[in-house]
Amino acid sequence: MSIAVILQAAVDALSRDPDAGVSEIAKVAGVGRVTVYGHFPTRADLVAAALAHAIGQAHPGLEDVDLTGDPRAALTRLIESSWQVVDRSRSLLIAAQDVLPPSRILDLHAGPAGRVGKLVERGRDEGVFRTDLPAEWLVGVMHSVMHHAADELNAGRLAAGQAATYIAATVLAAFRPPAG
Amino acid sequence: MSIAVILQAAVDALSRDPDAGVSEIAKVAGVGRVTVYGHFPTRADLVAAALAHAIGQAHPGLEDVDLTGDPRAALTRLIESSWQVVDRSRSLLIAAQDVLPPSRILDLHAGPAGRVGKLVERGRDEGVFRTDLPAEWLVGVMHSVMHHAADELNAGRLAAGQAATYIAATVLAAFRPPAG
């Protein structure tokens, strides 16, 4: 039971302040620091688990996105919904970027990335997405562009209302077959 | 004089080991730790300065890239040369990602990004690059895709010989006008 409470406390505290420490997270969870360290030996372990927890919580919402029909329209819908999640989690994402290597952050997104991957494969089968680059690369490009938008928003160089449009316009163009 | 020596030592040490500490860098520079801390109050300051130094060193080579003619061919040449620099600096880039926020790393690339920006503007004027997204966003997308390739190479998911081709194919498609 205490692990779920600690993870929710970590998500809440890091969503308010990306520099929230283990003591503060323990306080929010109503447990001692020793209890937290018993489950998560380092702050990086706790941040990684909090990110995984937040991604898991977003899963049902993203599962509801209709991915049938034109793969391009489906990808646009998925980008819009995924962006809402990334935007809400920007502070947590900063915390993760501070302590985890980019490839570890990408790995923690394996769940949502798997859904994007299936849609990419269908779009390739239907001839609307390119096949001259690996599907895994295309999924990674979408992830990078989305997190780039989060970084630009954090830096005050992008308005929240523009992000999903920019991401979709960029990713759909990047996915188009070269001759298309 | 000692600042230049310390910066070169930091580039060398971090290029061998992204976790190289201030003591090791001081040793390579042949100075004491106190001297290093006199110029760079924290390891993050030193890593940022080392990245800026490495980017500055790469500048003359990138300046030599011919950016005249078809903007798409010019961008491909610039991506190929820039990738050589990024690939050589992957270990230093990991060190920077560990201690600096993504927007700070992007800011440190203002020099090379300025050159990409000029080429993007010319390509937009000539109608071969899109104008429905800001030039600054397009430059940032190229930066993200290039660093994504470095992360994938570090994670063993991409072969060194494929990277420049994947980056150019992705970025050129992302820059194409929507109707093109």
Side-chain angles (χ1 to χ4, degrees):
Chain A
M1 173 271 194
S2 69
I3 288 192
V5 173
I6 292 166
L7 287 178
Q8 190 56 54
V11 170
D12 293 346
L14 294 167
S15 295
R16 282 192 301 267
D17 173 12
D19 296 321
V22 172
S23 300
E24 190 185 331
I25 292 167
K27 206 168 148 186
V28 173
V31 300
R33 288 174 70 246
V34 173
T35 304
V36 176
Y37 280 119
H39 295 296
F40 306 100
T42 69
R43 181 173 176 279
D45 295 322
L46 179 55
V47 170
L51 182 60
H53 188 67
I55 291 168
Q57 284 177 319
H59 190 71
L62 293 178
E63 278 286 310
D64 284 347
V65 178
D66 174 18
L67 295 189
T68 60
D70 179 357
R72 289 164 296 204
L75 186 64
T76 304
R77 288 191 294 272
L78 189 56
I79 286 172
E80 281 163 0
S81 296
S82 302
W83 170 253
Q84 301 304 323
V85 176
V86 172
D87 189 29
R88 272 201 309 274
S89 313
R90 275 192 289 136
S91 172
L92 178 56
L93 190 61
I94 291 175
Q97 286 168 336
D98 282 348
V99 294
L100 303 173
S103 61
R104 178 99 175 86
I105 294 178
L106 186 56
D107 289 345
L108 287 169
H109 287 81
R115 203 138 186 263
V116 177
K118 271 182 205 157
L119 179 57
V120 167
E121 293 291 2
R122 185 165 74 82
R124 286 152 67 102
D125 289 345
E126 296 181 15
V128 296
F129 293 154
R130 69 196 303 169
T131 54
D132 63 324
L133 295 173
E136 190 192 27
W137 168 263
L138 297 179
V139 173
V141 165
M142 172 170 152
H143 173 93
S144 305
V145 172
M146 202 164 281
H147 284 196
H148 172 61
D151 295 336
E152 289 295 280
L153 200 52
N154 289 334
R157 287 192 285 244
L158 182 67
Q162 299 169 319
T165 308
Y166 285 17
I167 297 163
T170 304
V171 170
L172 283 171
F175 282 16
R176 224 172 1 165
Chain B
M1 172 272 194
S2 69
I3 289 191
V5 173
I6 292 166
L7 287 177
Q8 191 56 53
V11 170
D12 293 346
L14 294 166
S15 295
R16 281 192 301 268
D17 174 12
D19 296 321
V22 172
S23 301
E24 191 185 330
I25 292 167
K27 205 168 148 187
V28 173
V31 300
R33 288 173 72 245
V34 173
T35 304
V36 175
Y37 280 119
H39 295 296
F40 306 99
T42 69
R43 181 173 176 279
D45 295 322
L46 179 55
V47 170
L51 181 60
H53 188 68
I55 291 168
Q57 284 177 318
H59 190 70
L62 293 178
E63 278 287 311
D64 285 346
V65 178
D66 175 18
L67 295 190
T68 60
D70 178 356
R72 290 163 295 203
L75 186 64
T76 304
R77 289 192 293 271
L78 189 55
I79 286 172
E80 281 165 0
S81 296
S82 302
W83 170 253
Q84 300 304 322
V85 176
V86 172
D87 189 29
R88 272 202 309 274
S89 313
R90 276 192 289 135
S91 172
L92 178 56
L93 190 61
I94 291 174
Q97 286 168 334
D98 282 347
V99 294
L100 304 173
S103 61
R104 178 100 174 88
I105 293 177
L106 186 55
D107 289 344
L108 288 169
H109 285 81
R115 202 138 187 265
V116 177
K118 272 183 204 158
L119 179 57
V120 167
E121 293 291 2
R122 185 165 73 80
R124 285 152 68 103
D125 290 343
E126 296 181 15
V128 296
F129 292 154
R130 68 197 304 169
T131 54
D132 62 325
L133 294 173
E136 190 193 28
W137 168 263
L138 297 179
V139 174
V141 165
M142 173 169 152
H143 173 93
S144 304
V145 171
M146 202 164 280
H147 284 197
H148 172 62
D151 296 336
E152 289 295 279
L153 201 52
N154 288 334
R157 285 192 286 244
L158 182 67
Q162 300 169 318
T165 308
Y166 285 17
I167 297 164
T170 304
V171 171
L172 283 171
F175 282 17
R176 226 174 357 165

